[in-house]
Amino acid sequence: MVEGENLEACSEVVEGEDERKGGFFDCFWTPVYWFKMLANETHWSFVFGVMVVYGISQGLGGAFNRVGTDYYMKDVQKVQPSESQIYQGIISIPWLVKPLWGLLTDLLPILGYRRRPYFILAGLLGVVSMLLLSFHENLHIAFALLSLTAGSAGAAIADVTIDACVAQNSNTRPYLAADMQSLCALSSSIGALLGFSLSGIFVHLIGPKGVFGLLSIPAGLVFLVGILLDEPFMFNFSYRQVNQKLVDAGKSMWRTLKFPDVWRPCVYMYLSIALSIDIHEGLFYWYTDSKEGPSFSEETVGFILSIGSIGSLFGALLYQNVLKDHPFRNLLFWIQLLFGLSGMLDLILVLRLNLKLGMPDYFFIVIAESVSQMIGRLKWMPLLVLSAKLCPPGIEGTFFALLMSIDNAGLLSSQWGGGFVLHLLKVTRTRFDNLWLAILTRNILRVAPLGLLFLIPRGDPNASILPTEIFGTQEAAETPENENIELVALVSSVDGK
């Protein structure tokens, strides 16, 4: 009753304000009242935290970081594309241990707080690592990797902690759960679009090291979230229980993974991502090469990626409005097939066939990037939904984080596999004779997961796919509601983070 009354009250506030406005003004004032309603119902510091972590740190900062790191490896460290591909995988390792960060923020409060200290830690890691990269003149590649990995760890810790805050608020205010998910998605999408639009310009003006200096600002805002977040103080917490809770959570996850209806989709998710090898660095070096490639500028690269983010957003909307009710196996068959075929656009570009067709490089690559990102998002969305449905009651949050770690392990394998292929085919900073062969190999491997679709359930995506035995097994393992693991990843990028 209380939740219903609150929801009605929130609706009345927005409707009442809407009656006072009309036409064009609704487009402006409705979001304002929506933000105001969320701030009143939760707390302004929570809304601020979501916008900082999802919008500024992951969206805007993630875009700047991606473009800045590409140019840093190419122009400052001067590494080969195959080496850069391997290094990108190393930097993403902190995202593989998301369940660990989730368990820590859920089970190990620091100085009486569960969330605030982890935001502060994440912010400090980001600020220190970015400033070191920015101000050190000749940083050795090993220390540069260490700094970039520390910055990635800060982003992963902040991501997990804000996920836990969102899930906790969704449990206490279920009538606002959809609104909070919309806030997360909106912040992330707008931040990424703005970040990719500006990243190339800033790389051109101040260089990749200067961009890393700017990235200390989003990290500093994450630190500020830890200072300002409204969170109750925990009195008389018993740290002796932490070890046992960690052991119990591990046992519950292992029991669940042993069910065929759970591990089979997990195997498919890992292999479908790992087999789609990532050769982005080879293509990036070719894009910016003045002899063999089209010699795109920093601004052009950033703009191309921003257009790609629009394609990704369109893919999410297409799945939500048209494809979400289709069976997993049928949907993944067509998407995986399209994913392999879309890679042929890169082959056409590298072989310069687009010029023979009268299509300029810039125009063609914008189309190719948009299509690739849209299909990549369409491929990712059903895997996210499937992952959510594989989570048993009692350990939903931590098990979801475990599944996301499996996906991130697939991304790591994909990056390292792509680096190995680029090295094997002798694709270097200045030699791209065999880049077309690397693209063809990638496209063939993208189609390979079609032979593994038998691992995916055929059933209705709106129905439960967990076996009934899991629910019986989990009853004994469930923890009290106020001690339950809260971590739920509500927004994931195509990069797997």
Side-chain angles (χ1 to χ4, degrees), residues 148-198:
L148 287 168
T149 305
S152 177
I157 293 171
D159 172 78
V160 167
T161 309
I162 198 63
D163 283 344
C165 293
V166 172
Q168 189 171 352
N169 275 302
S170 297
N171 287 336
T172 56
R173 300 172 181 84
Y175 55 93
L176 291 178
D179 291 275
M180 285 185 274
Q181 292 194 38
S182 298
L183 177 64
C184 297
L186 184 65
S187 300
S188 178
S189 298
I190 294 177
L193 181 59
L194 183 62
F196 281 123
S197 300
L198 297 175

Side-chain angles (χ1 to χ4, degrees), residues 110-136:
I110 299 175
L111 300 178
Y113 294 101
R114 297 172 67 191
R115 315 299 185 197
R116 294 175 65 179
Y118 292 96
F119 282 123
I120 292 174
L121 173 62
L124 285 175
L125 281 173
V127 169
V128 173
S129 59
M130 292 300 105
L131 290 180
L132 177 63
L133 286 165
S134 179
F135 290 116
H136 199 287

Side-chain angles (χ1 to χ4, degrees), residues 68-85 87 137-142 144-145 148 208-209 212 281 284-285 288 427-430:
T69 302
D70 280 344
Y71 277 100
Y72 179 77
M73 290 295 178
K74 177 178 178 287
D75 297 335
V76 179
Q77 294 294 340
K78 300 185 183 302
V79 301
Q80 299 294 344
S82 58
E83 295 175 314
S84 180
Q85 196 75 51
Y87 295 153
E137 289 297 329
N138 297 303
L139 193 61
H140 190 273
I141 184 62
L145 274 179
L148 287 168
K209 293 173 66 176
F212 287 140
E281 296 304 313
F284 170 74
Y285 278 57
T288 56
V427 176
T428 67
R429 294 171 53 85
T430 57

Side-chain angles (χ1 to χ4, degrees), residues 355-371:
L355 297 178
K356 295 180 180 179
L357 297 173
M359 297 183 68
D361 289 329
Y362 179 78
F363 180 71
F364 189 83
I365 196 174
V366 165
I367 296 176
E369 184 68 17
S370 301
V371 171

Side-chain angles (χ1 to χ4, degrees), residues 329-346:
R329 190 181 295 185
N330 295 344
L331 182 60
L332 288 172
F333 172 83
W334 291 108
I335 291 176
Q336 196 71 45
L337 184 61
L338 288 174
F339 192 49
L341 294 175
S342 67
M344 293 299 176
L345 294 175
D346 290 329

Side-chain angles (χ1 to χ4, degrees), residues 403-415:
L403 295 178
M404 291 301 97
S405 295
I406 293 174
D407 290 346
N408 285 324
L411 288 171
L412 177 63
S413 301
S414 170
Q415 290 174 322

